[in-house]
Amino acid sequence: MAAATGGALREGQGRGGPCVCSPPLAAVEAVAADWMLEFACSCLCRHFGDRSGAEFRRWSDVSQALINGFFKIPTHQKKTVYLCQLLIRIAKGKTLELQFENGQKISPLESALAFWTLLEKEEIKLEKLHEDIRRLIQIQIVAVHMENGYFKEATELLERLFTDSESDKPLRMKLATIIKNKDPYVPLLQSFSYSLLMSKIKFYIELFMKEKETDFLIQEATKYAESKGLEATTLQNKSMNVSENDESNLVTKQRLVKEQQYITNQSPGDIKKSTERPYSEQKHTGSRVLQSLNNLQNVENHEVSACGRRRQRWTYKEDLELKSGVKMFGVGNWAKILAHGNFDNRTSVMLKDRWRTLCRIDLA
């Protein structure tokens, strides 16, 4: 093929015609990779926050593969790359055992904060939105550790993330008090909730997508779909995928959200008022709030739990990790062992059950 092409070029030159040279294959691949990354990023943006998350996970894998293919991130693609990395980490922000940075035991949200910092450097506008999102990520880094019972780590993160500036001092003192009381469900944290962080990120995504309206692959795919009359078929298929369970879950979720509006709409100053109520009333309210939060989380995870978890055989390496974790943290500290160990899609309950099995094997 190359010889034939070369012959054709030489023949054209012999006749005095212009030499039409094809661009190098590497240059063609670079252009195609640019288009694919922009398309993958736009898909990530569209599916960010979906309840099932299947499409988001799919495009996370695609975008990550394309990003990993860069020897050096092109200047014009920096914002796109940083946004992809940010969204992937925000989506997994509550899963502390996940590690995105090789060799560094930092949580997904800490990694997300680093990419948000890089995004801020790429644009000088939207200062208020930048500050709001930065503050929400910082607070949620602390809050998620508290929710998982890591209060010592939460204190260390608070000291590291919040500076000694006068503007940070009031919030830092309130967060320190919350950590000391070991109560992650106070009104202050609900005012800076994870759902609020997600909504702010979605707003930022909308602004980002407006700048990317010239996405080449989307334009060409839209033209092709319109020419083939695919729009009606696509909409029909989407409507057929809506199940009765989805509708009932939506009603339940709306009811639970209404129950929590009192909490999420309170100002930070309401903390003092709540502590002035009788202890029995505080205890009853706290239990009701916690139950409401748990119910909402169960609704959001309904599709995942309904599918069930496929039984996964324990590997020799995982057994060693478990034994090492028990030796380091002691029997019963399964959450810490899970967070600090290298396990393949395990939960703290799985660790506890496996430890019992290993004990029986050793006694046999």
Side-chain angles (χ1 to χ4, degrees):
M1 176 97 178
T5 304
L9 289 175
R10 285 193 295 272
E11 183 181 351
Q13 290 171 346
R15 291 197 302 267
C19 176
V20 182
C21 299
S22 299
L25 182 59
V28 174
E29 289 179 348
V31 173
D34 270 1
W35 291 344
M36 288 190 292
L37 180 59
E38 288 182 0
F39 180 70
C41 183
S42 66
C43 291
L44 269 183
C45 291
R46 286 199 305 276
H47 295 292
F48 180 73
D50 285 356
R51 278 191 297 164
S52 66
E55 285 298 309
F56 183 83
R57 289 192 297 272
R58 174 190 174 194
W59 290 107
S60 295
D61 293 340
V62 173
S63 60
Q64 196 65 65
L66 291 167
I67 292 169
N68 291 340
F70 286 129
F71 176 74
K72 181 181 179 182
I73 301 175
T75 302
H76 68 282
Q77 286 286 28
K78 283 185 177 181
K79 278 187 67 173
T80 302
V81 170
Y82 297 156
L83 180 59
C84 289
Q85 301 286 37
L86 174 80
L87 297 183
I88 292 170
R89 286 155 176 76
I90 293 290
K92 295 292 185 180
K94 291 203 171 189
T95 313
L96 290 180
E97 59 267 24
L98 282 180
Q99 294 179 14
F100 287 95
E101 313 304 327
N102 294 331
Q104 301 181 43
K105 289 194 173 182
I106 64 174
S107 66
L109 282 181
E110 290 176 83
S111 181
L113 183 60
F115 280 102
W116 180 248
T117 301
L118 292 173
L119 263 176
E120 287 180 303
K121 292 179 180 178
E122 292 298 313
E123 53 188 10
I124 58 176
K125 55 184 179 179
L126 306 174
E127 290 184 7
K128 180 63 169 61
L129 181 60
H130 284 166
E131 180 60 30
D132 288 347
I133 292 177
R134 168 175 285 275
R135 183 52 50 89
L136 283 167
I137 295 176
Q138 289 174 322
I139 293 174
Q140 279 303 309
I141 290 173
V142 176
V144 169
H145 278 79
M146 290 181 62
E147 290 170 9
N148 285 271
Y150 299 119
F151 298 102
K152 180 182 177 182
E153 290 82 352
T155 301
E156 294 171 354
L157 287 165
L158 180 63
E159 294 174 354
R160 187 165 75 245
L161 293 174
F162 290 85
T163 64
D164 294 328
S165 65
E166 288 300 316
S167 60
D168 279 344
K169 189 174 180 179
L171 179 59
R172 188 173 67 251
M173 292 178 63
K174 290 177 182 177
L175 289 173
T177 302
I178 293 170
I179 296 173
K180 184 178 179 180
N181 294 333
K182 296 184 178 181
D183 185 5
Y185 300 106
V186 297
L188 174 62
L189 290 184
Q190 297 308 312
S191 299
F192 297 95
S193 65
Y194 210 93
S195 59
L196 179 59
L197 171 60
M198 295 285 282
S199 65
K200 290 281 187 180
I201 296 290
K202 287 180 180 178
F203 180 69
Y204 177 82
I205 286 173
E206 291 177 5
L207 300 177
F208 178 85
M209 292 290 283
K210 287 180 180 178
E211 298 178 3
K212 293 291 183 179
E213 289 178 344
T214 57
D215 189 309
F216 175 77
L217 282 183
I218 290 207
Q219 282 187 342
E220 294 304 308
T222 301
K223 292 176 184 177
Y224 180 83
E226 290 174 349
S227 68
K228 298 295 182 180
L230 297 178
E231 183 178 2
T233 305
T234 303
L235 291 174
Q236 183 179 2
N237 290 338
K238 284 185 178 180
S239 63
M240 291 174 65
N241 289 332
V242 178
S243 65
E244 295 180 0
N245 287 336
D246 290 332
E247 294 175 1
S248 62
N249 285 345
L250 180 59
V251 173
T252 305
K253 186 173 180 179
Q254 289 173 342
R255 176 176 58 80
L256 292 171
V257 169
K258 287 180 180 179
E259 290 179 2
Q260 295 176 77
Q261 284 181 345
Y262 170 76
I263 306 164
T264 56
N265 290 333
Q266 287 194 69
S267 64
D270 292 333
I271 297 177
K272 183 177 179 182
K273 294 180 182 178
S274 65
T275 57
E276 294 173 352
R277 292 178 296 177
Y279 174 75
S280 58
E281 184 181 347
Q282 291 182 39
K283 184 175 181 182
H284 175 73
T285 304
S287 300
R288 185 167 175 267
V289 170
L290 181 58
Q291 184 62 43
S292 181
L293 288 167
N294 289 337
N295 289 342
L296 179 58
Q297 186 66 38
N298 290 337
V299 171
E300 292 175 340
N301 294 334
H302 173 73
E303 293 184 6
V304 177
S305 61
C307 295
R309 184 185 295 273
R310 181 178 296 177
R311 190 174 181 82
Q312 182 178 340
R313 185 180 297 276
W314 280 78
T315 64
Y316 177 71
K317 184 179 178 181
E318 285 181 304
D319 285 344
L320 290 179
E321 285 283 336
L322 179 56
K323 291 177 181 179
S324 175
V326 170
K327 185 177 180 180
M328 182 179 298
F329 299 104
V331 177
N333 293 315
W334 309 118
K336 283 191 175 181
I337 295 171
L338 179 65
H340 291 83
N342 185 18
F343 298 98
D344 184 14
N345 196 26
R346 302 295 183 183
T347 65
S348 56
V349 176
M350 290 180 178
L351 267 60
K352 179 181 70 175
D353 293 341
R354 182 58 180 173
W355 180 251
R356 289 177 178 173
T357 300
L358 291 177
C359 290
R360 287 197 299 268
I361 293 173
D362 290 340
L363 292 173

